[in-house]
Short mmCIF file of all heavy atoms in Angstrom, two decimals:
data_model
loop_
_atom_site.label_atom_id
_atom_site.label_comp_id
_atom_site.label_asym_id
_atom_site.label_seq_id
_atom_site.Cartn_x
_atom_site.Cartn_y
_atom_site.Cartn_z
N ARG A 1 92.28 90.08 95.64
CA ARG A 1 93.04 89.90 96.88
C ARG A 1 94.07 91.03 97.01
O ARG A 1 94.81 91.35 96.09
CB ARG A 1 93.77 88.56 96.89
CG ARG A 1 92.86 87.35 96.90
CD ARG A 1 93.60 86.11 97.41
NE ARG A 1 95.00 86.09 97.08
CZ ARG A 1 95.53 85.53 95.97
NH1 ARG A 1 94.72 84.98 95.08
NH2 ARG A 1 96.83 85.52 95.75
N THR A 2 94.13 91.61 98.20
CA THR A 2 95.05 92.71 98.45
C THR A 2 96.50 92.28 98.29
O THR A 2 97.34 93.07 97.84
CB THR A 2 94.81 93.26 99.87
OG1 THR A 2 93.43 93.63 100.00
CG2 THR A 2 95.68 94.47 100.14
N ASP A 3 96.82 91.02 98.64
CA ASP A 3 98.22 90.60 98.59
C ASP A 3 98.76 90.53 97.15
O ASP A 3 99.98 90.43 96.95
CB ASP A 3 98.43 89.27 99.31
CG ASP A 3 97.60 88.13 98.72
OD1 ASP A 3 96.94 88.32 97.68
OD2 ASP A 3 97.63 87.03 99.31
N LEU A 4 97.89 90.60 96.14
CA LEU A 4 98.35 90.64 94.76
C LEU A 4 99.11 91.93 94.45
O LEU A 4 99.86 92.01 93.48
CB LEU A 4 97.16 90.52 93.80
CG LEU A 4 96.41 89.18 93.80
CD1 LEU A 4 95.18 89.26 92.93
CD2 LEU A 4 97.33 88.06 93.34
N PHE A 5 98.91 92.95 95.29
CA PHE A 5 99.52 94.25 95.07
C PHE A 5 100.70 94.51 96.01
O PHE A 5 101.10 95.65 96.24
CB PHE A 5 98.47 95.35 95.24
CG PHE A 5 97.28 95.18 94.33
CD1 PHE A 5 96.16 94.47 94.76
CD2 PHE A 5 97.30 95.67 93.04
CE1 PHE A 5 95.07 94.30 93.92
CE2 PHE A 5 96.21 95.50 92.20
CZ PHE A 5 95.10 94.81 92.64
N ASP A 6 101.28 93.44 96.52
CA ASP A 6 102.40 93.55 97.45
C ASP A 6 103.72 93.47 96.69
O ASP A 6 103.81 92.86 95.63
CB ASP A 6 102.33 92.44 98.50
CG ASP A 6 102.99 92.84 99.81
OD1 ASP A 6 103.56 93.94 99.88
OD2 ASP A 6 102.93 92.04 100.76
N PHE A 7 104.74 94.11 97.22
CA PHE A 7 106.10 93.96 96.70
C PHE A 7 107.06 94.42 97.79
O PHE A 7 106.68 95.11 98.73
CB PHE A 7 106.31 94.78 95.42
CG PHE A 7 106.08 96.26 95.56
CD1 PHE A 7 107.10 97.12 95.94
CD2 PHE A 7 104.83 96.82 95.29
CE1 PHE A 7 106.89 98.48 96.07
CE2 PHE A 7 104.61 98.18 95.41
CZ PHE A 7 105.65 99.02 95.80
N ASP A 8 108.31 94.00 97.67
CA ASP A 8 109.34 94.36 98.65
C ASP A 8 110.16 95.52 98.14
O ASP A 8 110.64 95.51 97.01
CB ASP A 8 110.26 93.16 98.94
CG ASP A 8 109.53 92.03 99.64
OD1 ASP A 8 108.68 92.32 100.50
OD2 ASP A 8 109.80 90.86 99.32
N LEU A 9 110.32 96.54 98.97
CA LEU A 9 111.11 97.71 98.61
C LEU A 9 112.22 97.92 99.63
O LEU A 9 111.94 98.07 100.83
CB LEU A 9 110.23 98.96 98.56
CG LEU A 9 110.97 100.24 98.17
CD1 LEU A 9 111.32 100.22 96.69
CD2 LEU A 9 110.17 101.48 98.53
N PRO A 10 113.47 97.95 99.21
CA PRO A 10 114.56 98.25 100.14
C PRO A 10 114.40 99.65 100.74
O PRO A 10 114.06 100.61 100.03
CB PRO A 10 115.82 98.17 99.26
CG PRO A 10 115.42 97.33 98.08
CD PRO A 10 113.96 97.63 97.85
N ASP A 11 114.64 99.78 102.04
CA ASP A 11 114.48 101.07 102.71
C ASP A 11 115.33 102.16 102.08
O ASP A 11 114.95 103.33 102.06
CB ASP A 11 114.83 100.94 104.19
CG ASP A 11 113.76 100.22 104.99
OD1 ASP A 11 112.64 100.06 104.47
OD2 ASP A 11 114.04 99.81 106.13
N GLY A 12 116.49 101.77 101.54
CA GLY A 12 117.39 102.75 100.95
C GLY A 12 116.85 103.43 99.70
O GLY A 12 117.43 104.43 99.25
N LEU A 13 115.76 102.93 99.14
CA LEU A 13 115.18 103.54 97.94
C LEU A 13 114.04 104.50 98.25
O LEU A 13 113.43 105.05 97.34
CB LEU A 13 114.69 102.45 96.98
CG LEU A 13 115.77 101.53 96.42
CD1 LEU A 13 115.18 100.59 95.38
CD2 LEU A 13 116.94 102.31 95.83
N ILE A 14 113.76 104.71 99.54
CA ILE A 14 112.75 105.70 99.93
C ILE A 14 113.41 107.06 99.98
O ILE A 14 114.32 107.30 100.78
CB ILE A 14 112.12 105.35 101.29
CG1 ILE A 14 111.43 103.99 101.23
CG2 ILE A 14 111.12 106.44 101.71
CD1 ILE A 14 110.91 103.51 102.56
N ALA A 15 113.01 107.97 99.10
CA ALA A 15 113.63 109.29 99.01
C ALA A 15 113.27 110.14 100.23
O ALA A 15 112.09 110.30 100.54
CB ALA A 15 113.19 109.99 97.73
N LEU A 16 114.28 110.68 100.88
CA LEU A 16 114.05 111.56 102.02
C LEU A 16 114.13 113.03 101.62
O LEU A 16 113.69 113.90 102.37
CB LEU A 16 115.06 111.26 103.13
CG LEU A 16 115.04 109.83 103.69
CD1 LEU A 16 116.01 109.69 104.84
CD2 LEU A 16 113.63 109.45 104.13
N ARG A 17 114.71 113.31 100.47
CA ARG A 17 114.77 114.65 99.90
C ARG A 17 114.58 114.54 98.39
O ARG A 17 114.95 113.53 97.80
CB ARG A 17 116.13 115.32 100.16
CG ARG A 17 116.48 115.50 101.62
CD ARG A 17 115.84 116.73 102.20
NE ARG A 17 116.29 116.97 103.58
CZ ARG A 17 115.79 117.93 104.36
NH1 ARG A 17 114.87 118.75 103.88
NH2 ARG A 17 116.23 118.07 105.59
N PRO A 18 114.04 115.55 97.76
CA PRO A 18 113.95 115.52 96.29
C PRO A 18 115.27 115.90 95.66
O PRO A 18 116.14 116.49 96.31
CB PRO A 18 112.88 116.59 96.00
CG PRO A 18 113.05 117.57 97.12
CD PRO A 18 113.43 116.77 98.33
N VAL A 19 115.42 115.57 94.38
CA VAL A 19 116.59 116.04 93.64
C VAL A 19 116.38 117.50 93.25
O VAL A 19 115.24 117.98 93.18
CB VAL A 19 116.85 115.19 92.38
CG1 VAL A 19 117.13 113.75 92.75
CG2 VAL A 19 115.68 115.28 91.42
N HIS A 20 117.46 118.19 93.01
CA HIS A 20 117.39 119.57 92.54
C HIS A 20 118.29 119.70 91.32
O HIS A 20 119.41 119.20 91.33
CB HIS A 20 117.83 120.54 93.64
CG HIS A 20 116.83 120.66 94.76
ND1 HIS A 20 115.67 121.39 94.65
CD2 HIS A 20 116.82 120.13 96.01
CE1 HIS A 20 114.99 121.31 95.79
NE2 HIS A 20 115.68 120.55 96.64
N PRO A 21 117.84 120.35 90.25
CA PRO A 21 116.49 120.90 90.08
C PRO A 21 115.45 119.80 89.99
O PRO A 21 115.78 118.64 89.74
CB PRO A 21 116.58 121.68 88.77
CG PRO A 21 117.65 120.98 88.01
CD PRO A 21 118.65 120.54 89.04
N ARG A 22 114.21 120.15 90.18
CA ARG A 22 113.14 119.16 90.26
C ARG A 22 113.02 118.33 88.99
O ARG A 22 112.70 117.15 89.05
CB ARG A 22 111.79 119.85 90.55
CG ARG A 22 111.74 120.56 91.88
CD ARG A 22 110.36 121.13 92.14
NE ARG A 22 110.32 121.91 93.37
CZ ARG A 22 109.20 122.17 94.04
NH1 ARG A 22 108.04 121.73 93.58
NH2 ARG A 22 109.22 122.87 95.15
N ASP A 23 113.27 118.95 87.84
CA ASP A 23 113.10 118.20 86.59
C ASP A 23 114.30 117.31 86.26
O ASP A 23 114.37 116.73 85.18
CB ASP A 23 112.78 119.12 85.42
CG ASP A 23 113.83 120.19 85.19
OD1 ASP A 23 114.87 120.17 85.87
OD2 ASP A 23 113.60 121.08 84.33
N ALA A 24 115.24 117.19 87.22
CA ALA A 24 116.34 116.23 87.06
C ALA A 24 115.94 114.85 87.58
O ALA A 24 116.72 113.90 87.45
CB ALA A 24 117.58 116.72 87.80
N ALA A 25 114.76 114.72 88.13
CA ALA A 25 114.29 113.41 88.61
C ALA A 25 114.22 112.43 87.44
O ALA A 25 113.98 112.81 86.29
CB ALA A 25 112.91 113.55 89.26
N ARG A 26 114.41 111.18 87.75
CA ARG A 26 114.33 110.14 86.72
C ARG A 26 112.87 109.88 86.36
O ARG A 26 111.96 110.10 87.16
CB ARG A 26 115.02 108.87 87.20
CG ARG A 26 116.50 109.08 87.49
CD ARG A 26 117.13 107.89 88.15
NE ARG A 26 117.29 106.78 87.21
CZ ARG A 26 117.73 105.57 87.57
NH1 ARG A 26 118.05 105.31 88.82
NH2 ARG A 26 117.87 104.62 86.65
N LEU A 27 112.68 109.41 85.13
CA LEU A 27 111.33 109.16 84.61
C LEU A 27 111.33 107.82 83.89
O LEU A 27 112.08 107.63 82.92
CB LEU A 27 110.93 110.28 83.65
CG LEU A 27 109.57 110.13 82.95
CD1 LEU A 27 108.44 110.23 83.96
CD2 LEU A 27 109.42 111.20 81.86
N LEU A 28 110.52 106.89 84.38
CA LEU A 28 110.39 105.58 83.74
C LEU A 28 109.19 105.61 82.80
O LEU A 28 108.05 105.84 83.23
CB LEU A 28 110.21 104.48 84.79
CG LEU A 28 110.07 103.06 84.25
CD1 LEU A 28 111.29 102.65 83.44
CD2 LEU A 28 109.81 102.07 85.39
N LEU A 29 109.45 105.39 81.53
CA LEU A 29 108.40 105.34 80.52
C LEU A 29 107.84 103.92 80.47
O LEU A 29 108.59 102.96 80.30
CB LEU A 29 108.97 105.74 79.17
CG LEU A 29 108.01 106.04 78.02
CD1 LEU A 29 107.05 107.15 78.39
CD2 LEU A 29 108.81 106.38 76.76
N VAL A 30 106.52 103.79 80.65
CA VAL A 30 105.86 102.48 80.69
C VAL A 30 104.80 102.45 79.59
O VAL A 30 103.81 103.18 79.65
CB VAL A 30 105.21 102.22 82.07
CG1 VAL A 30 104.57 100.83 82.11
CG2 VAL A 30 106.24 102.36 83.19
N ARG A 31 105.03 101.57 78.57
CA ARG A 31 104.15 101.51 77.40
C ARG A 31 103.71 100.06 77.18
O ARG A 31 104.36 99.32 76.44
CB ARG A 31 104.89 102.04 76.18
CG ARG A 31 105.34 103.49 76.31
CD ARG A 31 106.37 103.86 75.28
NE ARG A 31 107.61 103.10 75.47
CZ ARG A 31 108.74 103.32 74.79
NH1 ARG A 31 108.76 104.27 73.87
NH2 ARG A 31 109.82 102.60 75.02
N PRO A 32 102.62 99.65 77.83
CA PRO A 32 102.14 98.27 77.68
C PRO A 32 101.86 97.94 76.22
O PRO A 32 101.33 98.77 75.46
CB PRO A 32 100.86 98.25 78.51
CG PRO A 32 100.97 99.40 79.44
CD PRO A 32 101.76 100.44 78.72
N GLY A 33 102.23 96.74 75.81
CA GLY A 33 101.93 96.27 74.47
C GLY A 33 102.93 96.67 73.42
O GLY A 33 102.88 96.19 72.28
N GLU A 34 103.89 97.56 73.74
CA GLU A 34 104.91 97.94 72.77
C GLU A 34 106.15 97.06 72.94
O GLU A 34 106.39 96.52 74.02
CB GLU A 34 105.26 99.42 72.93
CG GLU A 34 104.09 100.34 72.63
CD GLU A 34 104.52 101.79 72.49
OE1 GLU A 34 105.73 102.03 72.28
OE2 GLU A 34 103.64 102.67 72.59
N PRO A 35 106.95 96.92 71.88
CA PRO A 35 108.15 96.06 71.97
C PRO A 35 109.07 96.45 73.12
O PRO A 35 109.57 95.59 73.85
CB PRO A 35 108.82 96.25 70.60
CG PRO A 35 107.70 96.65 69.69
CD PRO A 35 106.76 97.46 70.53
N ASP A 36 109.33 97.76 73.27
CA ASP A 36 110.13 98.25 74.40
C ASP A 36 109.18 98.83 75.43
O ASP A 36 108.88 100.03 75.42
CB ASP A 36 111.13 99.30 73.93
CG ASP A 36 112.13 98.73 72.93
OD1 ASP A 36 112.53 97.57 73.12
OD2 ASP A 36 112.49 99.44 71.98
N VAL A 37 108.71 97.96 76.31
CA VAL A 37 107.70 98.39 77.28
C VAL A 37 108.24 99.45 78.21
O VAL A 37 107.56 100.43 78.53
CB VAL A 37 107.18 97.18 78.08
CG1 VAL A 37 106.20 97.63 79.16
CG2 VAL A 37 106.53 96.16 77.16
N LEU A 38 109.49 99.29 78.65
CA LEU A 38 110.09 100.19 79.63
C LEU A 38 111.25 100.95 79.01
O LEU A 38 112.02 100.40 78.23
CB LEU A 38 110.59 99.41 80.85
CG LEU A 38 109.57 98.49 81.54
CD1 LEU A 38 110.24 97.73 82.67
CD2 LEU A 38 108.39 99.30 82.06
N ALA A 39 111.37 102.23 79.36
CA ALA A 39 112.49 103.04 78.89
C ALA A 39 112.86 104.04 79.98
O ALA A 39 111.98 104.65 80.60
CB ALA A 39 112.14 103.76 77.60
N ASP A 40 114.15 104.21 80.21
CA ASP A 40 114.64 105.10 81.26
C ASP A 40 114.87 106.50 80.69
O ASP A 40 115.64 106.68 79.74
CB ASP A 40 115.94 104.56 81.86
CG ASP A 40 115.74 103.20 82.52
OD1 ASP A 40 114.89 103.11 83.42
OD2 ASP A 40 116.43 102.24 82.12
N LYS A 41 114.23 107.48 81.28
CA LYS A 41 114.34 108.87 80.87
C LYS A 41 114.56 109.73 82.11
O LYS A 41 114.76 109.23 83.21
CB LYS A 41 113.07 109.32 80.14
CG LYS A 41 112.65 108.44 78.97
CD LYS A 41 113.55 108.61 77.78
CE LYS A 41 113.08 107.80 76.59
NZ LYS A 41 113.96 107.99 75.39
N VAL A 42 114.51 111.06 81.92
CA VAL A 42 114.47 112.00 83.02
C VAL A 42 113.31 112.95 82.77
O VAL A 42 112.81 113.07 81.65
CB VAL A 42 115.79 112.80 83.18
CG1 VAL A 42 116.93 111.87 83.57
CG2 VAL A 42 116.12 113.58 81.92
#
């Protein structure tokens, strides 16, 4: 079912410009099955 892939996103989180420098963007590490599944990086 397509609705299984739905979620709500606040309009304010839609990026209208990229960050500079480009590699300053945030990076979410996603590791299924590991104790720390999520980790915040850049």
Side-chain angles (χ1 to χ4, degrees):
R1 295 201 327 269
T2 305
D3 60 5
L4 294 174
F5 303 92
D6 208 356
F7 60 89
D8 293 322
L9 180 73
D11 286 345
L13 297 186
I14 299 174
L16 301 184
R17 299 278 185 185
V19 298
H20 289 283
R22 296 185 185 201
D23 58 6
R26 299 171 73 185
L27 177 66
L28 180 60
L29 192 58
V30 182
R31 299 164 295 187
E34 296 193 18
D36 298 322
V37 176
L38 306 177
D40 298 303
K41 306 288 183 179
V42 295

